[in-house]
Each structure stands twice: as structure tokens, then as C-alpha cells.
Amino acid sequence: QVQLVESGGGLVQPGGSLRLSCAASGSIFSIYLMGWYRPVPGKQRELVATITRGGTTNYADSVKGRFTISRDNGDNMVYLQMRSLKLEDTAVYYCNGRSGGTDDYWGQGTQVTVSS
């Protein structure tokens, strides 16, 4: 029904930058919130950043000031600009879309590895 495809992950040194992209297709009219999540120990997935259709953003404390989420509604794209990357940012990052019916749609994930 809704397909999300992430891209932009890779290997980067500490202090470096990456930009993740999420392309949405299908029945996207039902999506009011999109965001990025990553698995963490002891949890299923941790909120990294979200953005509403109106552009309101929310960030995890651990990434605030370093990551920026943005959205292009006309192009059905969501981006995550990642700066000043740390070793602990290493994770698989998943794109998420949430509908008014509380359904969640997930992409396949893209690997971000921060290493010297």
C-alpha cells in the first residue's frame, strides 16, 4: 500500500556528515507524519527525528543540534542531514510513515557506520 525506500547510508569517519533520503510511493495520501528511527539496546527502535506535513519537527536529545530532518511534500521525499557524526550513531536507520488510522509503514533500512 505504502512503500518507503531509504538511501544515503554508508561508512563515514567521526565528525563527518551524511544525508539520508526516503522516497515514498503508493497510497501516501494517508500519511500525516514521517520520521527516522534506529534500533538501540533494550528497545525495539528509538525515535531519531519526525516531521509533520506542516513542517513541525521533533528530535531525540542525542541528535538535537546535529541532525536536521526536512520534507518535500511535492516530491514525496524526507531527508535526514546528519552532521558531527559519532561512533554511537552507528545503526540501521529506518524511514517511517504513520497514517491517521495508526498504521505504521517502514522502509528496509539503510546502514550508517561511523568508524575511524
Side-chain angles (χ1 to χ4, degrees), residues 48-61:
V48 178
T50 59
I51 186 167
T52 68
R53 294 182 65 180
T56 300
T57 59
N58 185 41
Y59 296 93
D61 290 340

Side-chain angles (χ1 to χ4, degrees), residues 23-98:
S25 62
S27 302
I28 57 177
F29 62 89
S30 64
I31 303 299
Y32 72 90
L33 183 73
M34 297 192 69
W36 294 91
Y37 293 75
R38 64 189 183 188
V40 296
K43 301 179 181 178
Q44 184 178 18
R45 287 174 184 172
E46 173 191 56
L47 166 71
V48 178
T50 59
I51 186 167
T52 68
R53 294 182 65 180
T56 300
T57 59
N58 185 41
Y59 296 93
D61 290 340
S62 60
V63 307
K64 191 173 184 179
R66 299 187 297 118
F67 292 8
T68 302
I69 188 171
S70 60
R71 183 172 187 168
D72 185 341
N73 290 329
D75 201 33
N76 299 319
M77 296 286 292
V78 177
Y79 305 95
L80 185 67
Q81 180 65 54
M82 310 165 71
R83 304 180 303 275
S84 301
L85 283 161
K86 305 175 180 179
L87 268 61
E88 52 264 41
D89 293 320
T90 296
V92 178
Y93 285 73
Y94 293 90
C95 182
N96 168 264
R98 181 164 293 177

